Amino acid sequence: MANQKTAEEEETLLAGIAKYGTGKWRNILEDPEFSVQLQYRTNIDLKDKWRNMSRINPIQERNPNMVRFNE
Amino acid sequence: MANQKTAEEEETLLAGIAKYGTGKWRNILEDPEFSVQLQYRTNIDLKDKWRNMSRINPIQERNPNMVRFNE
DNA sequence: CAGTAGGGATAGGGTTCA
DNA sequence: TTGAACCCTATCCCTACT
């Protein structure tokens, strides 16, 4: 997602997800309730933006003593 | 087509196409010669997998700005 | 309703760059 | 080196046609 009016676009995306759920990027884009604010975005943009917004553990180091079950 | 035993599944699909031709996905699936290896696949899976396997050119051009050191 | 063809959409790994 | 933005494409979905 490029660069401008980012806050408004993020709010709109969140509202779209609240209405349709995640993974319904095309539906969100085509809803007249959101289409004006998101007119410069593609469904792929929304998917990637949501992935970044919902990222859980970006900053902290992993506890070196932690062992995952699947490794 | 999901993810595991991919190589074996691809070989089996190819063998099935050799026997029945393309577009005979249901026939391939139900042939006891192939049904074990393809038991987790649908006729639609086979159609889509073959579309990928038989693709001649990549779907999109690579980013022309990207140059790897090792290529 | 079944099956197939083909366009469209999504998921997730990969790449770029500030 | 990190992370937001953007790319790649296998897989999955939708619909028309038969």
Side-chain angles (χ1 to χ4, degrees):
Chain A
M1 235 165 167
N3 41 34
Q4 63 185 170
K5 303 203 293 176
T6 299
E8 184 184 25
E9 290 181 318
E10 289 187 0
E11 282 181 41
T12 304
L13 174 55
L14 255 12
I17 291 172
K19 184 167 182 177
Y20 291 99
T22 62
K24 300 298 184 179
W25 316 117
R26 176 62 60 187
N27 291 328
I28 294 170
L29 225 40
E30 293 178 348
D31 189 318
E33 187 178 347
F34 311 122
S35 55
V36 174
Q37 295 93 322
L38 298 175
Q39 63 182 303
Y40 302 115
R41 309 306 164 193
T42 69
N43 50 330
I44 303 296
D45 288 336
L46 299 189
K47 179 264 293 178
D48 285 330
K49 182 62 176 174
W50 173 242
R51 175 165 51 171
N52 288 334
M53 291 173 72
S54 62
R55 187 171 252 138
I56 295 173
N57 65 334
I59 297 171
Q60 289 193 342
E61 290 295 313
R62 277 184 61 181
N63 181 337
N65 297 314
M66 186 175 86
V67 178
R68 290 181 180 161
F69 288 118
N70 62 354
E71 68 181 11
Chain B
M1 237 165 167
N3 43 34
Q4 64 185 171
K5 303 204 293 179
T6 299
E8 184 185 25
E9 290 180 317
E10 288 186 1
E11 284 180 40
T12 304
L13 173 56
L14 254 14
I17 290 172
K19 185 168 182 177
Y20 292 99
T22 61
K24 301 297 183 181
W25 316 119
R26 176 63 58 188
N27 291 325
I28 294 169
L29 271 187
E30 293 179 348
D31 188 317
E33 187 178 348
F34 312 123
S35 55
V36 174
Q37 295 91 324
L38 299 175
Q39 62 182 303
Y40 301 116
R41 307 307 161 193
T42 69
N43 51 329
I44 304 295
D45 288 336
L46 299 189
K47 180 263 293 179
D48 285 328
K49 184 62 176 176
W50 174 241
R51 175 164 53 170
N52 290 333
M53 291 173 72
S54 61
R55 209 194 288 284
I56 296 171
N57 297 119
I59 294 174
Q60 298 184 40
E61 291 298 313
R62 286 178 75 88
N63 182 337
N65 296 314
M66 189 177 82
V67 178
R68 289 182 181 162
F69 287 119
N70 60 354
E71 70 179 11

